[in-house]
Amino acid sequence: MKIIIVGAGEVGYNIAGRLASENKQVIVIDKNPDAVRRLSENLDIQVITASGSNPKVLIDAGINETDILLAVTDQDETNLVACLITDLISPTTKKLVRLRDADFDSYHERFKKEAPHIDTVINPEIEVVNTIRKLMEVPGAVDVGDFVDGQVKYIGIRLDKNSPMAGIRLIDFPAEFGEERPLIAAIIRGNKVIVPRGGNKLEPGDLVYFVCETIKLEKTLKLFGKKIQPIQNALIIGGGRIGERLAKRLEQDNIKTKIIESDINRCHYLSEQMDKTVVLHGDGSDQKLFLEENAGQSDVVVSVTDDDETNILVSLLAKNLGVQNTITRIGKSSYSPLLATIGLEKVVNPRLSAVSSILQNVRKGKVLSDISIFGERGEFIEAIALETSDITNKPLKKISFPKGALLVCIIREGQIMIPAGDSSVKPGDRIIMFAVKHAVKKLEKLLTVKLDFF
């Protein structure tokens, strides 16, 4: 697979590194020499210092032999022009475009159907707002996401020492919890990702990822000693694009919302855009303002300014005032491993959201969603089982799954099944898998073509 990436910013850098680690042929184009130098020094890929929207540059890069073009610069217009030129030169190349401006939202579907034909539009900010909203719905969770059009959820939750699951081997879950038992997909212990087997025990302090039907979520959370608590009011720190989108979403859900924004001109703009949200001008990290606005009484405090340090400080301040549910936007990957140690576990990252959106469109086979967790060290992959795949029409115990990969569940005609050794996947089944980073390439091969063909 050959992939051209236009844009060497954070998203371009990280998706290039991810794809290069899977031995895909990657070329990155960017006119910023410093950004290009960073890639060439750290990644084993080809780089070109030029404009990715220039037709000659794209032709010289081999766009006619390219499977996928990813246009992910910080400039929406540059991304659109790159896709337009690619569509003219190489119509068969799959085109993915990153668009951040909300004014383009209503045109996403038209881009897919009309010229220039664009296969997928990616807006990380929409994905981040969706993630924040899901985290609000499950206050005890560190990570939340959907499969099967929302019928199935995955949840990451920290195991308390008083949990009835602590110390129980997974093989004993059916006897202990019956049909209501959660489907454990991954265990994060310390800095290690564990793909669970029957002999593994859950230990207090583990970050446990499980999968369950959405309608059974409340019962499953009780087994972890957690419960769903409806959100009635929210405080948002930062009135940028993410803060604005989130406030409008919360207004639709009839949640009382306040935004604190430091830019007075932005405050005036937000006041005109909002129907019920209260817009306040001030420094979100100002403890006096927090006390005046009774921030400690908020059901959730969401800090989404453009500054990571401010977001961390705000969340710590909210925690100190007694807010249990804080959500922190982080842009720098280097901060992620440190935040859990200071009590900030609900973290959203626009870059990771963009990477996950891109990966599901890059994966071979009929992949419906691809979600990275724990600093991209693990992936949930939801796919349709193909007739040509080696995973179909044989008992699972006879399939050589890559080490570090696990078939989490099978969905057939609306029925969600926990797989056992004698279970088999039928063509057309939806399947959800989990894999650590090094196992993804082999799992991808397993999903596409029968291994007998190699």
Side-chain angles (χ1 to χ4, degrees):
M1 181 179 286
K2 180 178 178 180
I3 299 166
I4 291 180
I5 301 173
V6 177
E10 283 299 310
V11 172
Y13 180 91
N14 283 279
I15 196 65
R18 187 63 175 273
L19 297 174
S21 70
E22 298 172 15
N23 297 321
K24 291 180 170 62
Q25 184 182 356
V26 179
I27 299 173
V28 178
I29 306 171
D30 197 298
K31 59 185 179 182
N32 183 333
D34 293 331
V36 170
R37 190 180 306 112
R38 177 190 179 206
L39 266 79
S40 62
E41 290 175 353
N42 293 288
L43 303 177
D44 185 19
I45 61 172
Q46 182 181 344
V47 295
I48 298 173
T49 306
S51 171
S53 58
N54 184 302
K56 185 177 185 304
V57 171
L58 288 170
I59 291 170
D60 291 345
I63 193 66
N64 286 301
E65 300 83 38
T66 297
D67 298 288
I68 299 175
L69 173 87
L70 305 177
V72 294
T73 76
D74 289 335
Q75 300 295 319
D76 291 349
E77 293 77 8
T78 299
N79 296 338
L80 284 170
V81 172
C83 288
L84 169 61
I85 298 301
T86 298
D87 200 48
L88 293 174
I89 300 171
S90 179
T92 59
T93 298
K94 188 175 183 181
K95 294 164 285 293
L96 284 71
V97 64
R98 177 194 188 192
L99 296 177
R100 299 196 302 171
D101 196 320
D103 290 340
F104 285 119
D105 287 0
S106 60
Y107 294 92
H108 287 188
E109 290 304 315
R110 290 185 65 182
F111 284 139
K112 296 177 185 179
K113 297 174 183 177
E114 303 174 20
H117 173 71
I118 296 171
D119 297 275
T120 302
V121 178
I122 297 159
N123 188 317
E125 288 154 7
I126 292 177
E127 297 300 324
V128 165
V129 168
N130 288 339
T131 300
I132 292 172
R133 191 66 190 93
K134 290 169 188 173
L135 284 170
M136 286 183 177
E137 293 171 356
V138 190
V142 172
D143 200 356
V144 181
D146 292 328
F147 300 115
V148 198
D149 304 319
Q151 297 177 53
V152 178
K153 284 192 183 297
Y154 77 84
I155 308 287
I157 204 161
R158 187 71 64 181
L159 196 70
D160 296 331
K161 62 181 180 180
N162 297 323
S163 170
M165 294 184 183
I168 305 293
R169 294 186 307 164
L170 299 188
I171 200 172
D172 297 325
F173 266 41
E176 290 285 338
F177 307 112
E179 292 186 1
E180 301 300 323
R181 68 188 184 279
L183 227 165
I184 307 299
I187 303 168
I188 313 296
R189 183 171 297 156
N191 208 30
K192 184 180 179 183
V193 181
I194 301 170
V195 178
R197 300 289 183 232
N200 289 115
K201 291 182 180 179
L202 299 185
E203 299 179 3
D206 285 349
L207 177 55
V208 180
Y209 277 85
F210 68 91
V211 173
C212 73
E213 290 181 75
T214 299
I215 59 173
K216 295 181 179 179
L217 177 59
E218 194 163 356
K219 289 183 179 179
T220 306
L221 286 173
K222 285 182 180 178
L223 298 177
F224 285 90
K226 308 289 184 181
K227 62 180 181 178
I228 293 176
Q229 298 171 328
I231 298 294
Q232 296 180 333
N233 60 80
L235 176 61
I236 302 171
I237 310 300
R241 284 193 295 259
I242 292 176
E244 179 186 353
R245 284 182 183 274
L246 179 59
K248 288 180 177 178
R249 176 77 172 271
L250 297 181
E251 283 187 346
Q252 293 172 2
D253 296 338
N254 294 317
I255 294 173
K256 294 179 181 178
T257 305
K258 292 180 182 178
I259 294 180
I260 297 178
E261 167 58 40
S262 59
D263 185 324
I264 187 63
N265 292 324
R266 184 69 180 174
C267 286
H268 292 319
Y269 166 81
L270 291 170
S271 297
E272 294 171 356
Q273 297 298 312
M274 300 299 163
D275 292 328
K276 295 175 285 186
T277 299
V278 176
V279 180
L280 302 169
H281 176 238
D283 180 357
S285 60
D286 183 348
Q287 186 170 359
K288 182 180 178 182
L289 179 59
F290 252 51
L291 293 171
E292 289 175 353
E293 296 301 325
N294 295 317
Q297 304 301 313
S298 301
D299 292 331
V300 60
V301 172
V302 185
S303 190
V304 289
T305 76
D306 290 331
D307 184 79
D308 288 353
E309 289 78 9
T310 296
N311 293 336
I312 292 169
L313 180 60
V314 166
S315 293
L316 290 174
L317 181 57
K319 288 274 188 186
N320 189 53
L321 292 176
V323 179
Q324 298 296 314
N325 197 6
T326 64
I327 302 173
T328 313
R329 174 194 175 177
I330 293 295
K332 298 175 185 174
S333 307
S334 56
Y335 283 152
S336 298
L338 306 173
L339 296 181
T341 63
I342 57 174
L344 302 182
E345 293 201 295
K346 291 193 176 188
V347 175
V348 293
N349 187 322
R351 177 188 57 79
L352 279 183
S353 296
V355 169
S356 290
S357 298
I358 291 167
L359 282 175
Q360 74 186 60
N361 290 280
V362 170
R363 294 277 172 249
K364 293 179 180 177
K366 200 168 183 180
V367 173
L368 303 176
S369 59
D370 188 309
I371 302 167
S372 298
I373 67 163
F374 197 56
E376 301 178 80
R377 293 192 217 173
E379 283 182 39
F380 280 104
I381 299 175
E382 177 189 4
I384 301 291
L386 303 175
E387 180 74 46
T388 56
S389 168
D390 199 59
I391 204 172
T392 56
N393 295 321
K394 63 175 71 172
L396 295 179
K397 61 186 177 184
K398 293 187 177 181
I399 298 174
S400 180
F401 271 88
K403 186 177 180 181
L406 174 71
L407 178 61
V408 178
C409 67
I410 302 168
I411 301 97
R412 182 180 302 151
E413 296 177 353
Q415 287 289 108
I416 297 173
M417 297 174 282
I418 299 175
D422 294 325
S423 304
S424 63
V425 176
K426 303 297 181 186
D429 286 352
R430 280 201 191 200
I431 51 178
I432 298 171
M433 295 150 291
F434 178 79
V436 295
K437 189 175 181 179
H438 67 78
V440 170
K441 185 181 177 184
K442 291 181 180 178
L443 184 62
E444 190 177 18
K445 185 180 289 187
L446 185 67
L447 286 173
T448 51
V449 183
K450 287 187 179 295
L451 299 181
D452 297 342
F453 293 175
F454 290 126

